[in-house]
Amino acid sequence: MTRYIDIHDVQKLLRKTGVAPFIETLADYIRDDYLRWPEFDKSARVANHSRDGVIELMPVSDNDLYGFKYVNGHPINTRRNLLTVMAFSVLADMHTGAPLLLSEFTLMTALRTAATSALAATVQARPDSRVMALIGNGAQSEFQALAFHAMLGIQEIRLFDVDPHAMIKLVRNLENVPYLRVLCAGSAREAVRGADIVTTVTADKANATILTPDMIEPGMHLNAVGGDCPGKTELHTDIVKNARVMVEFEPQTRIEGEIQHLPADSPVIHFWQVLSGDVAGRETPEQVTVFDSVGFALEDFSTLRYLYDLARDAGVGRVIDLIPELDNCKDLYQLVAPSAAPASVAACAA
C-alpha cells in the first residue's frame, strides 16, 4: 500500500507543527542521515537540460529505504506565473521495491533547503552571528529567513532583490515573526555591509556575480543556494578561491556548484565530516566560509522519512492503489482479462 500526500495534506501537517518547528525537526533528520553517510548508495543527480531550464532525478538509498525526487528548475516560469521549482518524491522499501510514499515536494524542497542551510551554518558561521543579508527574495526566501531565525538566533535580516515586489512580499510575510527585524536595502552591496551571514538564493540560469570580493568582510559566512547547475553561479570566483568551502556531495558540486570554475583538486571540506566533528567547519573567527549548497538527494531522503513518520502518526494523507494487489502474483493479465470461468488444471495439462 502506498500513502499519498498532496499539497493540502502538507498544509495540514505544517499548520499542526508550525513552519519553524517543522524545519528544526527536519534538520535533525538531515543531521542523523548525514552522520550515516557511509551507509548510503550515492550518485550525482541525472539532469536533462533545455534552453529554458532543467529537469532532474535525484536518487539515494540505504539498506532499507530508497528515495528519489523529480524536480525542475525553470526561471522563465515566473513570466507565466508558474513556479520556478516544482517537484514530487517517492520513498520505497529496498527489500521489496514497493513504494511506501508518494508526496508533493515543491513546498518540501523549500523547507528542506532551508533546514540544510541553517544546519550548515550552525557548524560554519560564527556563533555570535545575528545579522543576515538575504539576496534574492523569491519563493524560497521566507523559509531561509525562518530557519536562520529559529536555529541560529538571527535577529535582523536585510533584503535585496532586483524585483521590488518580491521584497515587499517578503516583508509582508515576515512582519509578524517575533524578535525579527526585517529591512529593505537599495542594493546587494548595502544589504551585505556588516552582515554576519549572507544567503544568496537567486534563480537566474546564468553565471552571475551577485557578490564580489570587495563586498566580503572577515568572518562572514556565505550560504550560496542559487548556484545549482552547470553555468549557474552567484559568487565571484576569487571569493570561492579564498574561502573555506563546504560541499554536500563533491562529485555533484564540482559539476553544478560555485566550485565548478575551480581546478578539480581545489580544496573543499565535506558536510558529513564537519557534522561528525572530524573536520572543523571554521578554523578562525576571521575566516570566510562558504556553504556551496546545490541540494543533494540525501536531504530529500531525510525529508521523506520525516514526512512518512509524521503523516502516518497524524493520519494525514490517504492510501492509494498505485500498485496492483493480485490473488495470484504471477497473473497480472487478470486485471484486463474478460470475465470468464478460470481454466482448469486439466485443460492446461492437455
Side-chain angles (χ1 to χ4, degrees):
M1 295 188 295
T2 306
R3 183 172 293 273
Y4 173 57
I5 302 176
D6 66 15
I7 186 62
H8 305 293
D9 297 320
V10 167
Q11 287 177 292
K12 290 178 188 175
L13 290 172
L14 287 169
R15 289 190 188 109
K16 183 179 177 66
T17 64
V19 175
F22 184 97
I23 289 173
E24 291 182 277
T25 303
L26 176 54
D28 291 336
Y29 272 71
I30 293 170
R31 178 192 290 107
D32 290 346
D33 283 336
Y34 267 102
L35 292 176
R36 299 191 297 122
W37 183 262
E39 298 177 23
F40 287 92
D41 185 358
K42 302 171 285 290
S43 63
R45 55 188 160 210
V46 179
N48 289 64
H49 295 271
S50 70
R51 179 185 60 190
D52 296 326
V54 62
I55 295 176
E56 300 168 331
L57 296 178
M58 301 174 62
V60 72
S61 65
D62 63 11
N63 290 328
D64 297 313
L65 295 169
Y66 168 92
F68 86 87
K69 180 171 76 174
Y70 165 98
V71 63
N72 78 305
H74 286 72
I76 197 173
N77 277 0
T78 55
R79 302 176 195 173
R80 308 163 181 150
N81 198 30
L82 294 174
L83 288 163
T84 297
V85 174
M86 297 175 279
F88 68 87
S89 211
V90 171
L91 185 69
D93 185 338
M94 278 293 289
H95 302 289
T96 65
L100 303 173
L101 177 66
L102 171 62
S103 177
E104 94 76 34
F105 237 69
T106 304
L107 183 53
M108 281 299 111
T109 293
L111 288 159
R112 73 84 155 129
T113 303
T116 304
S117 293
L119 180 60
T122 64
V123 293
Q124 275 204 299
R126 298 192 323 272
D128 61 349
S129 297
R130 294 295 177 266
V131 177
M132 182 169 82
L134 184 51
I135 313 300
N137 302 158
Q140 295 205 26
S141 56
E142 285 85 355
F143 304 99
Q144 292 283 331
L146 290 172
F148 277 83
H149 178 56
M151 294 177 58
L152 281 94
I154 290 297
Q155 298 170 354
E156 179 177 300
I157 297 184
R158 302 171 186 167
L159 315 180
F160 178 72
D161 196 294
V162 293
D163 177 6
H165 297 291
M167 286 196 286
I168 293 168
K169 176 267 306 182
L170 183 52
V171 170
R172 182 182 67 244
N173 287 338
L174 296 178
E175 64 183 358
N176 293 321
V177 178
Y179 310 111
L180 180 63
R181 185 181 184 205
V182 181
L183 305 173
C184 292
S187 66
R189 182 178 297 276
E190 180 184 331
V192 165
R193 190 178 300 120
D196 303 307
I197 297 173
V198 179
T199 289
T200 55
V201 58
T202 60
D204 282 348
K205 189 179 167 76
N207 181 13
T209 305
I210 308 300
L211 301 180
T212 54
D214 57 306
M215 298 165 67
I216 306 305
E217 299 174 12
M220 274 184 173
H221 171 62
L222 310 181
N223 176 41
V225 179
D228 58 1
C229 70
K232 184 173 182 244
T233 56
E234 296 178 313
L235 309 183
H236 190 285
T237 304
D238 287 345
I239 296 174
V240 187
K241 283 180 181 177
N242 296 318
R244 187 166 178 82
V245 179
M246 184 169 71
V247 301
E248 294 144 304
F249 183 55
E250 186 175 351
Q252 180 174 297
T253 311
R254 291 285 177 192
I255 298 169
E256 302 176 348
E258 297 295 332
I259 61 173
Q260 64 184 267
H261 301 302
L262 299 187
D265 60 352
S266 60
V268 296
I269 58 176
H270 299 93
F271 191 21
W272 73 276
Q273 291 180 316
V274 176
L275 284 175
S276 70
D278 293 338
V279 175
R282 167 179 293 273
E283 296 169 308
T284 67
E286 296 77 24
Q287 190 172 45
V288 174
T289 58
V290 173
F291 180 42
D292 193 354
S293 171
V294 298
F296 183 53
L298 186 56
E299 295 143 24
D300 302 312
F301 179 94
S302 306
T303 309
L304 282 164
R305 286 202 307 109
Y306 180 34
L307 263 183
Y308 189 59
D309 290 347
L310 197 60
R312 186 179 50 193
D313 293 345
V316 171
R318 60 190 175 93
V319 174
I320 60 172
D321 295 325
L322 186 64
I323 303 299
E325 292 189 9
L326 305 173
D327 296 330
N328 178 355
C329 64
K330 295 184 178 181
D331 187 8
L332 185 62
Y333 187 71
Q334 68 182 269
L335 295 174
V336 297
S339 298
S344 68
V345 174
C348 184

